[in-house]
Amino acid sequence: MKLKFEMWKCQTKRGYMSRFTDGRGISTDSWWDSPQLSIDHVGPEYLKQSHRHPNTKNDRHINFIKDRYKVEMARLKASEGEA
């Protein structure tokens, strides 16, 4: 199974939601209050926290999330600018 990472604007409160699905099909959701455009600066322990994506198990997962996060944030910010 492929890794998946997606983000969307939270409908119930300020911020965004993300969902990471690992190679075994296990998904976790996380709420981001006021996210930055990149999370390249965070260490592996940050993404593994229970309120982020605890199914992040290795460097492949971490790098995948960091790369996809940038793409998703750019997409979300662009769509907000068009609204």
Side-chain angles (χ1 to χ4, degrees), residues 9-22:
K9 188 168 179 75
C10 187
Q11 300 300 315
T12 58
K13 54 188 169 184
R14 182 179 98 177
Y16 301 91
M17 293 294 298
S18 66
R19 177 172 293 136
F20 171 60
T21 306
D22 65 24

Side-chain angles (χ1 to χ4, degrees), residues 6 19-22 24-29 53 55:
E6 57 189 321
R19 177 172 293 136
F20 171 60
T21 306
D22 65 24
R24 294 179 10 212
I26 297 169
S27 296
T28 55
D29 290 349
H53 295 293
N55 58 333

Side-chain angles (χ1 to χ4, degrees), residues 40-73:
D40 284 348
H41 62 284
V42 304
E45 66 285 346
Y46 178 77
L47 289 173
K48 294 177 181 183
Q49 293 178 28
S50 62
H51 71 284
R52 285 292 171 230
H53 295 293
N55 58 333
T56 303
K57 300 295 183 195
N58 55 47
D59 287 344
R60 179 176 166 246
H61 290 172
I62 291 163
N63 293 328
F64 178 79
I65 291 172
K66 286 181 176 185
D67 290 344
R68 290 296 308 151
Y69 177 97
K70 282 187 276 193
V71 170
E72 289 293 302
M73 283 304 298

